[in-house]
Amino acid sequence: MKQYYFILFFLSLLISPNAIAQETDNAALLKVIFTKYFKNEKVIAKGRLQLLSFYCKKAPNNEEVLEVISKSEILKKNAIEIKKQIDITINEDWSAAYNILFDNQNQYLKSKVNACLSFDEYKTISDRENQNNQRLMIVSKPIYFANNNFVLVKIAFYRNIEHNSGSFLLFEKVNGVWIIKESLNEWAT
């Protein structure tokens, strides 16, 4: 029995640093994404309507990733590793990365992003305003590959009836900093 607990303890020591590093990378990715897409948004002050909201859940990766792989040489070279991460059953949220990003730092950016919303919360606000000017930014679960030096993330913008859009962003880690290398599979309705 002691050996069982020792093995569990040892495995937790191995997994914990990796999980923390992953969430730190997720926070760094969110910072790049938020900086890019919230750049033109106004600071949310009392009584001001937020027009761009962030969806709390990580969207699952689906077979759409397969189409994106075919459009990039980097993705083609790493297709096996990427395909293993397609999982439509995930149920994860951005809270850990969100907290890392905004705990005691990046407060100006936080004042633009504000709190994340569930779909029901977004729908309530959007229905109440009835102006079709609110957007919900949905970010997929990041797909890390090539020794965690590249990441593929889908960004989608949802409105109630029209003007939905999105794309996949390919990130590369350069000197410890995530940069957007390429935008793939852009679409709009």
Side-chain angles (χ1 to χ4, degrees), residues 141-160:
K141 179 180 172 87
I143 297 176
Y144 290 87
F145 62 96
N147 295 320
N148 291 336
N149 289 316
F150 290 91
V151 176
L152 185 65
V153 179
K154 181 180 179 183
I155 312 292
F157 295 92
Y158 173 81
R159 287 188 182 183
N160 286 335

Side-chain angles (χ1 to χ4, degrees), residues 66-126:
L66 301 176
E67 181 183 332
V68 176
I69 289 172
S70 69
K71 296 181 179 181
S72 167
E73 288 305 313
I74 294 170
L75 299 178
K76 286 178 189 176
K77 289 177 185 174
N78 295 280
I80 293 170
E81 187 179 1
I82 294 168
K83 287 177 184 178
K84 287 179 183 176
Q85 297 181 63
I86 296 173
D87 180 4
I88 61 169
T89 64
I90 67 150
N91 187 15
E92 298 177 10
D93 64 41
W94 283 104
S95 60
Y98 187 90
N99 291 336
I100 290 169
L101 177 59
F102 291 133
D103 279 351
N104 303 318
Q105 57 185 344
N106 304 303
Q107 295 306 299
Y108 179 72
L109 183 58
K110 183 179 183 180
S111 69
K112 289 182 165 200
V113 176
N114 218 0
C116 67
L117 299 178
S118 70
F119 184 74
D120 290 336
E121 290 167 329
Y122 165 78
K123 195 79 170 107
T124 299
I125 293 167
S126 184

Side-chain angles (χ1 to χ4, degrees), residues 31-45:
K31 184 176 181 183
V32 173
I33 292 166
F34 288 166
T35 301
K36 176 179 173 65
Y37 292 108
F38 281 88
K39 183 167 128 181
N40 296 327
E41 298 298 314
K42 295 183 188 250
V43 171
I44 306 305

